[in-house]
Amino acid sequence: MIPQRVAGSSTLAMLEKVRQMKAQGMDVVSFAAGESDFPTPREVIEEAHKEMLEGNTRYVSTQGVPVLRDALAKDYKNRLNVSWAAPQHFLVVAGAKQGIHLALSAICDAGDEVLIPAPYWVSYPGIVKALSAKPVTLQTRLEDRYFSNVETLEKAWTPRTRALIMASPGNPTGLMIEEKLLKEIISWCEKKKVVLIFDELYERLTFGKTKHVSALSLVTEAQSEWVLSVNAFSKTFGMTGWRLGWVASHPKNIEYLTDLQSQVLTCMPGFAQVAAARAMDKVDSILGPVVKAFSNRKKIIMEGLSGIEGVKTLEPEGAFYILVDVSGVIARKNLKDDKDFVQKLLEQQQVVTVAGSAFGAPNSFRISFAMSEEEIKKGLERIKTFCVS
Ligand code: PMP
Ligand code: GLU
């Protein structure tokens, strides 16, 4: 039998469960969705359709079609303040997940270590394990807004440490790293020759006062040897099913990742890349209502949760997730742990969430608010009933 190094993704398992429950006609409220409920904008679909009809259905450049890499470079330069950004700094990949896998497969040999501050996005440790490398998870505290500092990284460092991976805004917390801390972490990575994989998937979906800072905006082109930015169209443009993302870094890193990609994926579909590039021109009109809706939903969630005893949380600044610490409820209701909490919430109230331990955050659960305000209110009532009963 082939080796079985990893378990399947818990978030995707929950999504599958929701599909099955809905198919059985159950009145389920799902807070499990890891994708925006806004559809891919019609213009983007029409552009892709037009491109296909015009014959853009063949292999294209492995690195990504020039029109998309030009658009990405312009965006990093003008909006994300990466003054040196140019098309050679980008590789188009099959979604952020494949970008992370590709990057780690280039960086790690078997037995190498990857630092992962917890709570982390569910698939980071799984990807590392799939490569026979070793995930080293670092506990953080709610009081530190769930971010690791340089002292913690230094303590965890060994001669086998090759990379550090983190997201801002984070999944499952929705929290954003402060510029000062990010700068300190980047300097530490450079000193220790550890690659920072900075997952910026939700960077356009922010609603707090904090402004997103791209890790690449804090380094020169030469220093970008140690920084990889990973991003995708998935969440921002409601394009999860298109599997279209990119990695940005030093040209030497991108050249090697492109070689590697030419052996494992060939290229992403040209019609999808052209359509996505055109979407970038219309981003403000597409995203304005989406960000506003998520911001309103976040307010509803915060209000709903604040009235429940035994529940602690930090207000998300971006993405569409919130991590809810329910240690108080678990203790009061005599539950085994967060998995037990999530399972009983599902059985007793037909509310689907994801257990915090999937993200390295025991005693909590994750709510995704990528759903209508009515559904959110209905789900919150059920969560409240469960917690106080
Ligand atoms: N990073 C984070 C933080 C995520 O939440 C996700 C979820 N989809 C991914 C990466 C993977 O994104 P994609 O769908 O573009 O592969
Ligand atoms: N990233 C989403 C989530 O965290 C989608 C599912 C997945 O790719 O794991 O739920």
Side-chain angles (χ1 to χ4, degrees):
M1 204 175 9
I2 58 172
Q4 317 223 327
R5 297 193 186 94
V6 295
S9 156
S10 320
T11 45
L12 294 182
M14 276 325 230
L15 294 184
E16 192 50 45
K17 193 167 212 152
V18 173
R19 271 182 221 116
Q20 286 167 7
M21 289 170 83
K22 286 192 172 159
Q24 286 162 16
M26 290 172 74
D27 173 26
V28 48
V29 178
S30 172
F31 285 111
E35 59 187 344
S36 169
D37 53 326
F38 289 89
T40 305
R42 200 180 166 83
E43 307 91 287
V44 184
I45 296 171
E46 279 167 359
E47 292 286 1
H49 185 211
K50 198 170 97 210
E51 282 295 311
M52 288 178 92
L53 290 173
E54 283 172 8
N56 192 353
T57 53
R58 305 286 183 145
Y59 292 142
V60 290
S61 140
T62 296
Q63 195 177 346
V65 300
V67 65
L68 179 55
R69 287 188 294 112
D70 285 348
L72 291 170
K74 218 165 75 194
D75 188 45
Y76 268 59
K77 199 175 193 147
N78 299 338
R79 189 177 59 86
L80 293 175
N81 301 320
V82 185
S83 57
W84 45 268
Q88 69 267 27
H89 300 115
F90 295 86
L91 165 66
V92 178
V93 295
K97 198 180 258 180
Q98 197 254 332
I100 293 165
H101 181 267
L102 186 79
L104 285 171
S105 71
I107 296 165
C108 295
D109 286 327
D112 282 345
E113 294 172 11
V114 177
L115 302 178
I116 309 178
Y120 44 74
W121 176 51
V122 65
S123 285
Y124 296 156
I127 295 173
V128 173
K129 281 189 207 155
L131 298 165
S132 298
K134 189 174 154 206
V136 177
T137 55
L138 310 174
Q139 281 318 308
T140 61
R141 303 179 319 154
L142 183 135
E143 297 76 47
D144 297 326
R145 300 177 64 257
Y146 296 121
F147 283 105
S148 284
N149 56 27
V150 168
E151 289 80 70
T152 320
L153 300 177
E154 185 68 38
K155 272 196 211 127
W157 184 88
T158 77
R160 296 301 302 261
T161 308
R162 294 286 173 269
L164 159 66
I165 180 159
M166 55 194 288
S168 180
N171 176 2
T173 63
L175 295 173
M176 290 161 72
I177 191 165
E178 283 170 8
E179 181 169 341
K180 181 170 170 289
L181 178 57
L182 182 57
K183 267 189 190 152
E184 289 166 3
I185 290 177
I186 291 172
S187 307
W188 181 83
C189 286
E190 201 185 354
K191 191 173 90 198
K192 295 298 222 184
K193 306 219 172 322
V194 167
V195 179
L196 171 65
I197 300 182
F198 196 58
D199 181 338
E200 311 189 57
L201 192 59
Y202 299 94
E203 55 97 2
R204 286 193 195 256
L205 302 178
T206 64
F207 26 71
K209 277 188 226 97
T210 323
K211 204 172 152 340
H212 173 78
V213 181
S214 171
L216 288 179
S217 70
L218 302 176
V219 294
T220 60
E221 184 189 29
Q223 291 168 316
S224 71
E225 254 191 289
W226 299 105
V227 180
L228 259 66
S229 157
V230 180
N231 206 331
F233 291 96
S234 312
K235 313 286 166 160
T236 311
F237 294 96
M239 290 173 66
T240 38
W242 293 58
R243 312 305 306 128
L244 197 60
W246 64 92
V247 177
S249 186
H250 191 281
K252 285 237 153 54
N253 290 340
I254 294 299
E255 261 168 49
Y256 179 64
L257 292 179
T258 304
D259 285 345
L260 194 54
Q261 189 75 310
S262 74
Q263 300 284 13
V264 298
L265 185 103
T266 304
C267 63
M268 288 303 292
F271 58 86
Q273 294 189 51
V274 173
R278 297 202 179 126
M280 290 182 75
D281 291 339
K282 305 187 182 96
V283 72
D284 291 336
S285 59
I286 293 173
L287 268 190
V290 176
V291 174
K292 196 161 180 307
F294 282 133
S295 178
N296 288 342
R297 293 166 184 187
K298 182 208 61 177
K299 271 194 216 125
I300 297 172
I301 298 265
M302 292 309 294
E303 277 162 25
L305 291 175
S306 69
I308 309 177
E309 207 191 308
V311 158
K312 274 192 287 182
T313 192
L314 290 178
E315 184 164 350
E317 298 162 302
F320 35 72
Y321 307 109
I322 181 165
L323 185 69
V324 189
D325 180 319
V326 278
S327 4
V329 181
I330 290 173
R332 187 162 42 75
K333 284 174 76 82
N334 229 347
L335 299 170
K336 273 207 285 300
D337 51 20
D338 55 309
K339 288 191 201 127
D340 197 21
F341 176 99
V342 162
Q343 184 59 31
K344 299 236 159 66
L345 177 63
L346 174 63
E347 284 162 12
Q348 294 171 21
Q349 296 290 335
Q350 287 78 51
V351 171
V352 189
T353 57
V354 185
S357 44
F359 309 95
N363 298 321
S364 355
F365 71 103
R366 185 190 79 173
I367 282 181
S368 156
F369 44 93
M371 61 214 267
S372 72
E373 293 185 8
E374 292 66 42
E375 278 290 287
I376 291 176
K377 286 179 189 156
K378 183 164 145 190
L380 281 170
E381 273 310 309
R382 293 188 189 185
I383 291 176
K384 191 167 182 176
T385 308
F386 176 75
C387 288
V388 301
S389 65

